[in-house]
């Protein structure tokens, strides 16, 4: 079928495999041991995961890709363990259920890693395959997923301020975050605080909810669309206090391009 296929793109499979490897290692207590033992266990677990969850990598002609990925992921989990030790953190939970409310909306999902500092503070680590796009999100104040995770975790624990949160690149084996006393040794990215990102997002969400309740669904991804904040009636002077993705990013995860007309526009 020309519209798609059942197999995930390789980079998505790599990321999923990395998530599952960290989950399996945590369940076996492997992050408490030495780096050499961690690497050995990671290699053995990957062999199991190829057969159970990543058979695509066992196809003829995939030996080079499989070997490269194995080296990346084994090195990555060792670097994650070292980063946690440097920051005096331990993993509390992997794939931690996210369950919170915001207004009338129910927030549901899973947080990749919840970690705890020796002094008791908890923080969040979101594992991604790449690195460049997520650095850019932190710099520009567009790390919305990370801010949402932090909000949900704070809400569940009845805390007024958001916990520290960081990204970990499975491809690069690197932990990076905004300024935080929790993530000692992580790569520092200069950008707006997650609290600010979340506050701007809630203002935009309020405007969008009002428009939707009135039966209006602004479309921002077409050639002649207005910027979404303009379409929502936010004055240009107020734009910095609201959340808005760049035009090229607005449709990245949306599958309703047949409804808004973007799919047909591309054919013209």
């Amino acid at each position: 079928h020309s519209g798609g296929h059942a197999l995930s793109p390789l980079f998505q499979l790599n990321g999923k495999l990395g998530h599952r490897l960290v989950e399996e290692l945590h369940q076996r207590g492997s992050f408490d041991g030495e780096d050499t033992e961690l690497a050995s266990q990671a290699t053995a677990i990957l062999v199991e995961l190829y057969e159970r969850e990543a058979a695509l990598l066992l196809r003829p002609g995939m030996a080079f890709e499989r070997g490269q990925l194995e080296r990346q992921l084994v090195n990555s989990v060792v670097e994650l363990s070292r980063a946690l030790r440097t920051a005096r953190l331990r993993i509390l939970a992997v794939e931690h259920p996210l369950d919170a409310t915001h207004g009338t909306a129910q927030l549901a999902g899973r947080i990749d890693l919840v970690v705890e500092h020796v002094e008791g503070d908890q923080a969040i680590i979101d594992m991604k395959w790449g690195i460049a796009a997520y650095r850019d999100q932190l710099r520009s104040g567009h790390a919305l997923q990370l801010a949402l995770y932090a909000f949900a975790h704070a809400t569940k624990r009845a805390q007024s301020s958001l916990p520290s949160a960081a990204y970990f690149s499975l491809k690069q084996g690197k932990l990076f975050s905004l300024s935080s006393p929790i993530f000692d040794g992580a790569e520092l990215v200069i950008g707006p605080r997650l609290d600010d990102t979340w506050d701007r997002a809630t203002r935009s969400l309020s405007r969008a909810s009002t428009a939707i309740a009135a039966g209006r669904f602004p479309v921002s991804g077409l050639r002649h669309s207005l910027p979404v904040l303009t379409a929502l009636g936010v004055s240009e002077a107020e734009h910095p206090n609201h959340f808005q993705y760049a035009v090229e990013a607005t449709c990245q995860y949306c599958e309703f391009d047949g409804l808004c007309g973007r799919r047909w526009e591309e054919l013209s």
Side-chain angles (χ1 to χ4, degrees), residues 2-3 14 17 23 63 65 78 98 107-108 117 134 137 165 176-177 210 213 216 222 235:
S2 61
N14 293 349
L17 201 59
E23 185 175 18
E65 287 83 357
V78 171
L98 180 157
L107 307 177
H117 191 264
Y134 302 103
Q137 287 182 11
F176 55 105
S177 74
T210 300
R216 293 177 54 245
L222 302 180
S235 68

Side-chain angles (χ1 to χ4, degrees), residues 25 63 74-75 93 96 109 114 117 124 132 147-148 167 193 220 249 256:
L25 287 167
V74 171
N75 289 337
H96 183 64
V114 176
H117 191 264
I124 290 166
L148 188 151
Y167 285 121
R193 298 180 309 129
S220 59
F256 295 95

Side-chain angles (χ1 to χ4, degrees), residues 119-130:
E119 296 182 358
D121 292 332
Q122 292 187 12
I124 290 166
I125 298 176
D126 192 27
M127 295 186 291
K128 300 295 187 185
W129 179 245

